[in-house]
Amino acid sequence: MFADLNREHYGVETYLPMRNWAAERGMIKRALDEYGAELLHEAFTQIFREYRPNEQYPILTAGFAISYRLNTVMPRLLADRQRQERAKQTPDNSGMTAEELAEWL
């Protein structure tokens, strides 16, 4: 995924992991276990939108994203999810007619 996104966003053909392949796979596995694939994919998409490459760091690695960016993006995503869940659980009085609602108020 990161190789494809780096190619798409930054035009970089060669992807190299932050430390080594085994370390990066371990980081990804731990993040997947903690947050799940859907939420992690959403976080990585957000991180790619926010990341600005520079001469010293021309690509975004999974290791960097997990180690240094996930802790800023994930709280926002989790808060959004909680708001969405609360909105679903809040009754919207859609079963009432306008007259019933007016009387109730």
Side-chain angles (χ1 to χ4, degrees):
M1 173 184 168
F2 270 78
D4 292 338
L5 287 172
N6 274 295
R7 187 177 310 108
E8 179 183 321
H9 286 270
Y10 313 123
V12 178
E13 292 296 322
T14 305
Y15 177 83
L16 297 172
M18 186 169 135
R19 290 188 201 135
N20 60 54
W21 291 106
E24 196 160 272
R25 275 193 297 265
M27 291 175 176
I28 294 168
K29 173 80 169 99
R30 282 189 296 279
L32 278 169
D33 290 344
E34 186 172 351
Y35 299 111
E38 182 184 337
L39 194 58
L40 196 59
H41 184 272
E42 193 174 333
F44 287 155
T45 302
Q46 178 103 18
I47 290 168
F48 263 94
R49 272 189 256 140
E50 295 173 357
Y51 183 73
R52 299 293 173 251
N54 58 50
E55 193 173 304
Q56 189 175 2
Y57 302 107
I59 67 170
L60 179 62
T61 65
F64 178 82
I66 292 168
S67 297
Y68 300 105
R69 298 299 303 143
L70 199 61
N71 60 347
T72 60
V73 171
M74 197 55 76
R76 287 184 285 180
L77 294 176
L78 291 171
D80 287 345
R81 288 271 169 105
Q82 287 175 345
R83 273 192 294 276
Q84 291 170 359
E85 288 299 317
R86 274 188 259 130
K88 286 180 186 176
Q89 294 173 357
T90 304
D92 62 356
N93 298 325
S94 61
M96 295 179 144
T97 65
E99 293 81 25
E100 292 173 331
L101 186 57
E103 288 176 19
W104 181 73
L105 294 174

